[in-house]
Amino acid sequence: MAIAASPGVQVTKPVAAPPAPRTQSSFGRLTRRPETGALAGTVLVFVIFTVLGGSNFISIGGVASWLNVAAELAIIALPVGLLMIAGELDLSVGSVLAASSMTMAIVSGTYGAPMIVGIVAALAVGAAAGFINGLIVSRTNVPSFVVTLGMNFGLAGITLGLSRLITGTTNVPLDPGPFFKGLFGSLIGGQFEVAIFWALGVALLIVWLLQMTPFGNWVFAIGGDKESARATGIPVTRVKISLFMMSALGASLVGIIQTCLYNGAQTSTGQSFVFNSIIAAVIGGVLLTGGYGSVPGIILGTLTFAIVSQGIYTTSLSSDWASFILGALLLAAVLMNNTFRKLALSSGVRAPKIKKA
Amino acid sequence: MAEPLLKLTNVGKSYAGTDALADITLQVEPGKVLCLLGDNGAGKSTLIKILSGFHTPTTGTVEIDGQPVVFHSPRDASANGIATVHQYGGTFPLMTVGRSFFVGVEPTKGWGPFKRFDKATANEISVRELKGLGITRINDGNRLVGGMSGGERQSLAIARAVYFGAKLLILDEPTAALGVKEASHVLRIIMQARRKGIAVVFVTHNVLHAMTVGDNFAVLIHGRLADSFAKGERTREEITDLMAGGEAMAELEAEIAQYEQDA
């Protein structure tokens, strides 16, 4: 094996004899990508429900039912997954969704302001909540689990209290008008939510950020080792605050979508997204401790989640079993991801040496 | 004698009234290796943290190229050409070699909103720099750092520091977790950095490793400079004795002698 040394640089003896150059098979390469396990999971549940649900599951209505759920979930799970790659959790997305939704309905419905004002107000609520989450986590070093859990409860209380105070009810109607209904809350072909396109847009944005920009590199580095990342001069605080703002803005966007779709807002919506987004990200191969994950993986995770939670209705099984399947799947995903990650670390040359940091 | 690159004068650091470090005076010249020896808790870590900008000293002055400096953050230290490599390499196991090499200083291509991380360049440079340090097994920048051995990871971190123009390289126990072969490779890399005119502070408690590459030596005990000397001025036994605090070793030897008598 010829080794081209750059001129002027002395080449010392290699540590060990270099192994014969081996071309990795495309299959070998595939098993080393973070989303491989997620793909296997998605294919598995798709096949199972196609067999069990038959034409109900793969009919247009059947596909729409799980694609719609996946789309709304993906808009939140993608930025939450990005945050998880950076080593943090966001448990406040549920209340942020409800708060944004109520803000929009109250501003544009109760007070009759133009729709765009309501939308900007809803996004501002999300941005503010995310900023506060990020600031507290960065400044105090309190685990984000606790900070965002507190935010989820606190914001739920504020939303409920203010809604009752202002409107006297917890359920505020809003007529979005044809333009905004079309933009956020319409059903294409009477079946497919327009949110699917929003989800695709969010996916493109996040994949660009994570894979193609220096910012994405910083996200991986911060999740990998925060202190080393700080030592290299990365603005850790700024990156974290922007990530918390992104996950909150994702929740706000779903809040806006749901408000337009259902012509109104409720204070109690959104809480299911708190754990569903984390489940989707983990099934999608994101490492709970940070530093590892991918956008295609998270998308596959949301699809798997949606297929199981909606596909169950197309079968003769009672829907009671959906949670059980998801729970088992989550556990299986974590175990499988560990295996695939070990393969990724082994580089196909020799057994991995993983240091527990 | 060359002008010292780094000079510490009476540097001390106290936490809540307790002196972790006191009266440290030492210097490193370009192209020389200063070995910082000491038992656990002797103050080596505190000294490194001062040099790499994590702590500011309570007393004394730090000079770089004759200019007094105060580092308020790791960024200040790296702006002054100081790079610190920690025991586990300070690298990111789940990142690719190319990405890890360029964390914080990512090369980009394209323009304006289309500016993007230049993965090809990052991979190419990182693999080339590793080769320059004798790591030939890693021929693909897409490999994950976690798949590298401890010595390779140390080499990656050192290659990174050298590539980004470090004038002073601080190596914190780089050989402590390594096997014999890998440790000797890392020692070779230290000599390579030295030949390039980089000043090296090599922190270790392995006297043999220190004596192999060191030009100057400083021994810390309980936060104070117990001894400092140049190559060849002390024997290995003298240094080991000093590090272990002499008496402790003598006591141990006496105890062993007692056991042997009893047996």
Side-chain angles (χ1 to χ4, degrees):
Chain A
M1 195 164 120
I3 299 152
S6 35
V9 176
Q10 211 162 339
V11 179
T12 55
K13 249 170 43 191
V15 177
R22 82 167 71 176
T23 34
Q24 285 185 342
S25 67
S26 51
F27 178 75
R29 224 173 244 283
L30 190 70
T31 60
R32 294 193 182 89
R33 296 198 50 83
E35 57 272 3
T36 311
L39 181 65
T42 309
V43 170
L44 182 73
V45 296
F46 186 85
V47 169
I48 288 176
F49 281 100
T50 306
V51 171
L52 291 181
S55 56
N56 284 337
F57 178 69
I58 46 173
S59 67
I60 294 198
V63 171
S65 77
W66 51 264
L67 217 48
N68 290 342
V69 168
E72 285 189 12
L73 182 56
I75 294 172
I76 296 179
L78 281 163
V80 163
L82 198 63
L83 189 62
M84 285 167 68
I85 294 174
E88 303 289 352
L89 287 171
D90 189 350
L91 303 182
S92 70
V93 289
S95 291
V96 172
L97 193 160
S100 300
S101 188
M102 286 305 289
T103 303
M104 181 176 167
I106 290 172
V107 169
S108 298
T110 311
Y111 289 132
M115 275 295 290
I116 188 72
V117 177
I119 288 169
V120 169
L123 291 173
V125 166
F131 182 80
I132 294 169
N133 278 337
L135 197 67
I136 296 177
V137 169
S138 306
R139 286 287 152 83
T140 63
N141 275 330
V142 173
S144 52
F145 181 92
V146 175
V147 172
T148 58
L149 189 63
M151 175 62 87
N152 199 44
F153 274 79
L155 197 56
I158 293 175
T159 308
L160 199 59
L162 284 183
S163 300
R164 267 203 226 281
L165 209 61
I166 296 169
T167 67
T169 169
T170 57
N171 196 336
V172 178
L174 170 73
D175 175 17
F179 176 75
F180 288 101
K181 181 81 179 174
L183 192 59
F184 292 110
S186 57
L187 294 172
I188 297 159
Q191 306 262 23
F192 294 93
E193 280 183 36
V194 72
I196 293 167
F197 291 99
W198 284 101
L200 285 176
V202 169
L204 286 177
L205 181 75
I206 305 269
V207 85
W208 165 265
L209 268 178
L210 192 60
Q211 297 297 331
M212 311 287 272
T213 67
F215 183 88
N217 217 31
W218 301 350
V219 171
F220 280 116
I222 292 172
D225 182 353
K226 199 173 74 183
E227 283 318 307
S228 296
R230 206 185 292 279
T232 62
I234 291 175
V236 176
T237 303
R238 238 175 52 207
V239 172
K240 283 210 169 155
I241 290 177
S242 10
L243 289 173
F244 277 106
M245 288 176 75
M246 278 185 226
S247 65
L249 283 171
S252 294
L253 180 55
V254 175
I256 293 167
I257 286 169
Q258 290 192 344
T259 310
C260 291
L261 189 65
Y262 304 125
N263 301 318
Q266 286 184 17
T267 51
S268 58
T269 52
Q271 293 302 333
S272 64
F273 284 94
V274 172
F275 288 113
N276 293 359
S277 60
I278 295 173
I279 293 172
V282 171
I283 291 179
V286 175
L287 191 56
L288 260 173
T289 46
Y292 201 62
S294 77
V295 171
I298 300 168
I299 292 173
L300 289 166
T302 60
L303 282 174
T304 306
F305 184 91
I307 287 172
V308 174
S309 63
Q310 295 302 303
I312 198 88
Y313 296 109
T314 66
T315 68
S316 54
L317 289 169
S318 155
S319 61
D320 301 348
W321 292 98
S323 291
F324 166 73
I325 298 175
L326 281 170
L329 214 60
L330 182 68
L331 205 59
V334 174
L335 293 173
M336 197 150 73
N337 289 343
N338 282 343
T339 310
F340 280 111
R341 194 167 51 252
K342 271 184 195 142
L343 272 175
L345 287 174
S346 73
S347 308
V349 175
R350 63 174 161 195
K353 286 183 182 175
I354 308 165
K355 281 200 181 80
K356 290 267 182 294
Chain B
M1 197 178 191
E3 275 293 300
L5 178 85
L6 172 81
K7 194 171 171 194
L8 303 186
T9 315
N10 300 324
V11 165
K13 174 80 185 173
S14 41
Y15 300 100
T18 315
D19 285 347
L21 213 57
D23 271 338
I24 304 294
T25 300
L26 46 84
Q27 60 180 51
V28 207
E29 288 128 42
K32 298 277 177 198
V33 177
L34 170 71
C35 292
L36 205 55
L37 295 155
D39 204 358
N40 293 340
K44 292 176 298 184
S45 306
T46 308
L47 188 53
I48 295 165
K49 283 189 171 146
I50 288 173
L51 294 179
S52 50
F54 280 97
H55 294 332
T56 46
T58 332
T59 56
T61 54
V62 179
E63 286 170 49
I64 299 242
D65 288 328
Q67 297 296 316
V69 287
V70 180
F71 301 144
H72 295 287
S73 73
R75 221 178 213 187
D76 287 352
S78 43
N80 276 282
I82 297 179
T84 309
V85 175
H86 295 287
Q87 188 175 345
Y88 296 111
T91 49
F92 309 97
L94 291 167
M95 288 176 83
T96 68
V97 170
R99 280 183 171 270
S100 187
F101 195 89
F102 283 95
V103 164
V105 277
E106 292 81 2
T108 52
K109 61 181 178 188
W111 175 87
F114 302 104
K115 201 159 94 176
R116 58 200 187 277
F117 176 62
D118 188 351
K119 198 169 106 181
T121 304
N123 285 353
E124 190 196 314
I125 293 175
S126 54
V127 169
R128 191 187 71 209
E129 293 301 311
L130 273 176
K131 276 205 175 120
L133 291 183
I135 306 289
T136 51
R137 194 175 71 89
I138 307 301
N139 49 19
D140 179 1
N142 281 322
R143 288 271 167 84
L144 293 186
V145 171
M148 299 167 82
S149 69
E152 286 167 344
R153 283 165 75 168
Q154 282 291 327
S155 308
L156 178 69
I158 296 172
R160 184 180 194 276
V162 173
Y163 180 78
F164 290 108
K167 290 188 290 180
L168 176 70
L169 197 54
I170 302 170
L171 304 173
D172 185 6
E173 304 269 9
T175 56
L178 302 183
V180 180
K181 246 189 195 167
E182 291 226 305
S184 65
H185 187 241
V186 169
L187 293 178
R188 242 185 242 126
I189 290 175
I190 294 176
M191 295 310 283
Q192 244 177 292
R194 178 181 177 272
R195 270 199 298 274
K196 286 185 178 167
I198 295 169
V200 180
V201 175
F202 176 29
V203 182
T204 182
H205 53 232
N206 188 318
V207 180
L208 191 63
H209 290 170
M211 294 190 78
T212 314
V213 294
D215 295 295
N216 295 287
F217 302 81
V219 182
L220 290 183
I221 295 176
H222 299 314
R224 281 166 194 281
L225 197 59
D227 197 3
S228 67
F229 46 89
K231 192 178 180 120
E233 289 179 1
R234 300 281 188 283
T235 65
R236 188 179 159 190
E237 286 71 26
E238 282 173 328
I239 302 173
T240 314
D241 251 21
L242 187 60
M243 273 174 68
E247 304 143 37
M249 281 306 268
E251 255 173 54
L252 182 64
E253 272 162 29
E255 260 177 58
I256 291 170
Q258 188 64 46
Y259 287 139
E260 279 169 353
Q261 244 174 22
D262 293 348

